[in-house]
Amino acid sequence: GSSLEPEECSMEPPAVPGEEEEEEEVPLSVAPGPVGCQLFGYVGIEAVLDQMKIKTMKTGFEFNIMVVGQSGLGKSTMVNTLFKSKVSRKSSQPGQEERIPKTVQLQSITHVIEEKGVKMKLTVTDTPGFGDQINNENCWDPIIKYINEQYERYLREEILITRKRKIPDTRVHGCVYFVPPTGHWLRPLDLEFMQRLSKIVNVVPVIAKADTLTLEERAEFKQRIQEDLKTHAISVYPQEDFDQDPEDRALNDRIREKIPFAVVGADQEHQVNGKRVLGRKTKWGIIEVENPAHCEFPLLRDLLIRSHLQDLKDITHNVHYESYRVRRLNESNRPGLSPLNGLPSKEPPPDPAALPTPAHRAAPGPCLGGHQQLSLHCAWTPQG
């Protein structure tokens, strides 16, 4: 009857083939898909984290830190306090000298620290004598040279045809700069150093020996330092440009409000309320370095080790080292560089005056009509 007519009409082919299929596929492609696929049983994808953890515990990882500041600000003591060990200026090899003499040369000490099965190859680079001279002009050049040398060493290993399975990483991941507790503004030396070094390494400024300042003086000094950093456009770690997501930005904003950290270092333990704590003993009490009410050392330790250690390494590799690598490879296109590896050759570039003279510019013999050309290339004197 009439009920079959719609069915017969619906079975007729469309006027243009493929139109209905395209109309049906468009909503499917536009519609958002599910966030995750529901599994019917346990697959074991989460075991990847365990595999990475086991591999890292076997191979270990590397972390290189540099401390910069004047003598007497407690740089070595601060490093010992960070890792709760004598790692700053004590040699790990028994045949060498136990302590490094105070010179103006940069010294690096490497130790292997193990905690709960995790091994870390720690390299501490000390800068004794920085800023101690009467004339401190260009006193940051040895530090910049050392940092670039580590980048160059890594680059040379990376561009080899047969590379090592794991390239030794000696690049500086973080530079802790110690500001003297003057209570005034930053010195021109401090501004110039951080302005130059912040472009090639992660700089973390701290106020050394903060126990010499009152709480009011400390707050005013930190505010003045933050104003100086903003006025001179100095970007210290953590940089705002490298925040990846809103959560990281919120966490780093809280850290940036506290920078520079007012720290106190101590490597001796004292008895306080029946507990052994690290601190400095004075006539009026004991300053506990791990007590947030006394100083901001716990914030510095959390930033360097507990929360941002891997981020320091990632920014060093992806930002600072990458910019150095691009600059060096661009220089390989210029004359005077070795064609083998794109790095500067030890031989100086040839002098243009010493190059062989082309035939059309050779010293002419007797010729006609060449006086105007000869006057441009040689001193012509009539003979006879």
Side-chain angles (χ1 to χ4, degrees):
S2 59
S3 61
L4 297 177
E5 293 180 359
E7 297 179 1
E8 293 177 358
C9 293
S10 63
M11 294 176 64
E12 291 181 359
V16 180
E19 277 188 1
E20 293 184 358
E21 296 178 359
E22 293 178 359
E23 293 178 356
E24 292 179 358
E25 290 179 358
V26 170
L28 292 177
S29 60
V30 174
V35 178
C37 182
Q38 185 67 29
L39 302 178
F40 295 103
Y42 178 74
V43 178
I45 301 176
E46 63 179 12
V48 176
L49 298 177
D50 297 335
Q51 299 174 26
M52 296 173 63
K53 180 180 178 181
I54 294 173
K55 187 175 181 180
T56 304
M57 292 179 66
K58 288 182 178 180
T59 60
F61 59 97
E62 299 162 328
F63 184 63
N64 309 316
I65 187 174
M66 173 184 286
V67 289
V68 182
Q70 291 183 351
S71 301
L73 294 181
K75 301 186 298 295
S76 304
T77 305
M78 177 57 60
V79 175
N80 294 336
T81 310
L82 278 173
F83 299 97
K84 293 186 177 181
S85 179
K86 303 288 185 178
V87 298
S88 63
R89 306 186 68 178
K90 185 177 178 181
S91 176
S92 59
Q93 299 181 6
Q96 299 180 355
E97 296 182 3
E98 183 173 338
R99 300 187 65 85
I100 300 175
K102 287 190 175 182
T103 61
V104 294
Q105 298 180 355
L106 276 70
Q107 303 288 346
S108 298
I109 296 296
T110 301
H111 292 267
V112 177
I113 301 178
E114 184 175 355
E115 183 181 15
K116 295 184 178 180
V118 180
K119 295 181 180 180
M120 181 178 70
K121 185 179 180 181
L122 173 67
T123 302
V124 180
T125 304
D126 198 357
T127 57
F130 172 80
D132 293 345
Q133 294 78 17
I134 297 177
N135 183 11
N136 292 314
E137 185 179 1
N138 299 330
C139 62
W140 47 79
D141 286 347
I143 299 176
I144 296 178
K145 180 181 177 182
Y146 176 82
I147 295 174
N148 289 332
E149 284 177 354
Q150 309 314 311
Y151 290 153
E152 184 73 20
R153 181 181 300 180
Y154 193 90
L155 178 61
R156 289 181 179 273
E157 292 287 342
E158 193 178 39
I159 64 178
L160 292 177
I161 298 177
T162 304
R163 297 189 297 183
K164 298 179 181 179
R165 186 174 182 181
K166 184 180 180 181
I167 301 177
D169 190 4
T170 59
R171 299 169 296 181
V172 180
H173 301 130
C175 175
V176 182
Y177 184 73
F178 287 74
V179 178
T182 59
H184 303 288
W185 304 87
L186 286 176
R187 303 171 302 169
L189 175 63
D190 303 330
L191 294 173
E192 189 71 22
F193 175 85
M194 287 190 285
Q195 196 166 19
R196 291 174 179 268
L197 268 292
S198 61
K199 300 177 182 178
I200 62 175
V201 73
N202 300 314
V203 178
V204 181
V206 298
I207 301 175
K209 294 188 175 181
D211 53 339
T212 60
L213 301 173
T214 62
L215 297 180
E216 292 79 8
E217 293 174 347
R218 183 189 304 179
E220 294 178 0
F221 191 32
K222 292 182 62 173
Q223 185 177 0
R224 291 172 182 173
I225 292 177
Q226 293 176 358
E227 293 176 359
D228 283 342
L229 296 177
K230 186 179 297 183
T231 302
H232 294 83
I234 300 175
S235 178
V236 298
Y237 185 83
Q239 300 89 340
E240 295 183 3
D241 299 336
F242 305 148
D243 294 338
Q244 298 181 355
D245 50 47
E247 295 182 359
D248 292 344
R249 182 175 296 274
L251 174 61
N252 293 336
D253 285 341
R254 293 195 298 267
I255 295 175
R256 283 187 282 265
E257 293 177 356
K258 301 290 186 180
I259 286 180
F261 300 116
V263 298
V264 177
D267 51 5
Q268 295 182 358
E269 292 184 347
H270 299 278
Q271 193 81 13
V272 177
N273 297 329
K275 297 181 180 179
R276 304 289 296 180
V277 297
L278 288 172
R280 293 170 56 90
K281 187 176 182 181
T282 61
K283 293 182 179 181
W284 53 86
I286 296 177
I287 303 172
E288 304 176 19
V289 299
E290 295 181 339
N291 190 346
H294 293 184
C295 69
E296 296 175 343
F297 169 79
L299 301 179
L300 176 64
R301 182 183 56 193
D302 293 346
L303 175 68
L304 294 179
I305 302 176
R306 296 184 179 179
S307 61
H308 287 69
L309 188 147
Q310 187 61 40
D311 187 63
L312 285 167
K313 299 181 64 176
D314 293 341
I315 292 180
T316 300
H317 180 76
N318 299 326
V319 179
H320 299 302
Y321 169 72
E322 190 68 18
S323 62
Y324 179 85
R325 186 186 68 87
V326 171
R327 184 174 70 253
R328 294 290 288 113
L329 295 181
N330 286 335
E331 292 175 356
S332 64
N333 298 327
R334 301 177 184 176
L337 300 182
S338 174
L340 298 178
N341 52 10
L343 297 177
S345 59
K346 297 182 179 179
E347 300 179 357
D351 187 6
L355 294 176
T357 309
H360 67 278
R361 295 182 58 183
C367 62
L368 300 176
H371 301 287
Q372 184 177 2
Q373 182 180 1
L374 291 175
S375 63
L376 299 176
H377 303 287
C378 62
W380 179 76
T381 56
Q383 298 179 0

